[in-house]
Amino acid sequence: MHKKRIRNRIIWSVVAILIVIAGWFSFGPTSNTTKDQKEVVVGVVGQTKQDAEIWKSVAETAKEDYGIKIKIKNFTDYNQPNKALQNGDIDLNAFQHYTFLNAWNKANHGSLVAIGNTYIAPIRLYSKKYKDIKDLPQGATIAVPNDASNESRALYVLKNAGLIKLRKGVKLATVADITSNPKGLKIKEVSAEQTARVIDDVDASIVNNTYAVPAKLGDKQTIYIEPLNKDSEQWINIIVANKKDKNNRVYKELVKAYQTEKTKKLSDKLYGKTEIAAWGLKLK
């Protein structure tokens, strides 16, 4: 009987040890690993107060619904976030459209991919000298961004405005693709962040929203708005990841946290018609 009690004690001691070990693997290392995996650093450019408010809302949804902690890293220009993403300094970025991404990948032998649409922000032609696009004089100087994708977009804006014609079938247009320029417009190529700053020195300037908002350019200075049509799909803004992470579950959940009715309503409140939710957007 005594031997039986000893044997039972040994058995229960072994069971207890196994339970402790199982508990350690269940709640110890795994918990820390999950925590590490659930913090996501997202790179953005020139974040405005409105952008910060939207990402704060997205971060709240991500934390509440998916347990994801979003950390925003703000860059000053368009050349930085893709390099940072490719180098692993950030996990995702959200500042560019499809054409910019494609051009950057081609120029830098990159392998970054879009994992979700965010919004489309129709860019505008602004002027402090003229109230209507029809008032632009012969030989007017128009400032446009000088990076390949945004310059192409600016030229398509001028094309849709009826000011120029572009060679048919060209995806990434340059000034060399202008086939008709009846007003003899002079295209002044400057860095994207300079397009708002040079507006006093030119007749009109095409400025991305990233730089138009802080420069306080709005309806009063607007003489033309980019239309949403079949040309527009390439200008939809996106959340971007490294190719190896395109199916990452946490990153997909972050996209879901962004693409909500809550985000759409907040964007409408903060931006009105200057930014339009692009998930599920149908373009004609």
Side-chain angles (χ1 to χ4, degrees), residues 47-64:
Q47 188 179 56
T48 63
K49 289 182 180 179
Q50 293 94 326
D51 291 336
E53 197 167 334
I54 286 173
W55 276 106
K56 180 182 178 183
S57 174
V58 173
E60 289 172 354
T61 302
K63 186 175 181 180
E64 291 172 5

Side-chain angles (χ1 to χ4, degrees), residues 95-168:
F95 76 100
Q96 65 194 316
H97 45 60
Y98 283 100
T99 298
F100 188 98
L101 175 62
N102 292 337
W104 191 89
N105 275 335
K106 185 176 181 180
N108 296 276
H109 307 289
S111 58
L112 306 182
V113 296
I115 61 171
N117 293 349
T118 54
Y119 62 88
I120 184 168
I123 59 174
R124 300 183 177 201
L125 180 62
Y126 296 98
S127 178
K128 289 188 175 180
K129 297 179 180 178
Y130 304 100
K131 299 294 184 183
D132 193 294
I133 195 169
K134 295 177 182 178
D135 298 332
L136 287 174
Q138 285 291 130
T141 299
I142 311 292
V144 301
N146 65 1
D147 61 273
S149 62
N150 281 306
E151 179 174 356
S152 177
R153 185 179 188 181
L155 293 175
Y156 269 98
V157 169
L158 298 179
K159 171 227 173 193
N160 281 308
L163 294 173
I164 63 172
K165 290 183 179 179
L166 294 172
R167 185 165 54 87
K168 291 183 179 180

Side-chain angles (χ1 to χ4, degrees), residues 44 87 280:
V44 300
N87 293 338

Side-chain angles (χ1 to χ4, degrees), residues 54 57-58 61 118-119 256-273 275-281:
I54 286 173
S57 174
V58 173
T61 302
T118 54
Y119 62 88
K256 290 179 181 178
Y258 192 105
Q259 294 178 345
T260 63
E261 188 64 23
K262 177 185 173 186
T263 304
K264 183 179 183 300
K265 287 181 178 179
L266 182 58
S267 180
D268 289 345
K269 176 185 174 183
L270 296 172
Y271 285 105
K273 294 181 180 179
E275 285 193 4
I276 300 166
W279 54 94
L281 182 65

Side-chain angles (χ1 to χ4, degrees), residues 8-216:
N8 287 343
R9 286 176 183 175
I10 293 172
I11 291 171
W12 283 111
S13 296
V14 171
V15 170
I17 291 170
L18 290 174
I19 289 172
V20 170
I21 292 172
W24 168 254
F25 282 107
S26 297
F27 300 105
T30 305
S31 177
N32 291 334
T33 302
T34 301
K35 184 178 178 182
D36 293 340
Q37 290 176 341
K38 289 270 188 172
E39 181 174 281
V40 181
V41 181
V42 182
V44 300
V45 175
Q47 188 179 56
T48 63
K49 289 182 180 179
Q50 293 94 326
D51 291 336
E53 197 167 334
I54 286 173
W55 276 106
K56 180 182 178 183
S57 174
V58 173
E60 289 172 354
T61 302
K63 186 175 181 180
E64 291 172 5
D65 293 355
Y66 304 104
I68 299 171
K69 180 182 178 182
I70 295 177
K71 182 178 178 182
I72 298 297
K73 184 169 183 179
N74 190 30
F75 294 92
T76 56
D77 67 63
Y78 292 148
N79 296 316
Q80 298 172 325
N82 280 338
K83 291 179 183 178
L85 179 57
Q86 185 162 273
N87 293 338
D89 297 328
I90 58 177
D91 301 307
L92 302 171
N93 68 42
F95 76 100
Q96 65 194 316
H97 45 60
Y98 283 100
T99 298
F100 188 98
L101 175 62
N102 292 337
W104 191 89
N105 275 335
K106 185 176 181 180
N108 296 276
H109 307 289
S111 58
L112 306 182
V113 296
I115 61 171
N117 293 349
T118 54
Y119 62 88
I120 184 168
I123 59 174
R124 300 183 177 201
L125 180 62
Y126 296 98
S127 178
K128 289 188 175 180
K129 297 179 180 178
Y130 304 100
K131 299 294 184 183
D132 193 294
I133 195 169
K134 295 177 182 178
D135 298 332
L136 287 174
Q138 285 291 130
T141 299
I142 311 292
V144 301
N146 65 1
D147 61 273
S149 62
N150 281 306
E151 179 174 356
S152 177
R153 185 179 188 181
L155 293 175
Y156 269 98
V157 169
L158 298 179
K159 171 227 173 193
N160 281 308
L163 294 173
I164 63 172
K165 290 183 179 179
L166 294 172
R167 185 165 54 87
K168 291 183 179 180
V170 64
K171 284 287 186 181
L172 209 58
T174 68
V175 291
D177 295 305
I178 298 175
T179 58
S180 177
N181 184 3
K183 281 198 170 186
L185 299 178
K186 297 173 184 175
I187 308 299
K188 183 180 179 68
E189 299 164 298
V190 300
S191 60
E193 62 269 23
Q194 292 294 324
T195 51
R197 297 174 188 172
V198 303
I199 195 166
D200 291 323
D201 303 319
V202 296
D203 295 293
S205 183
I206 293 177
V207 186
N208 295 73
N209 281 9
T210 300
Y211 302 111
V213 173
K216 300 189 185 312

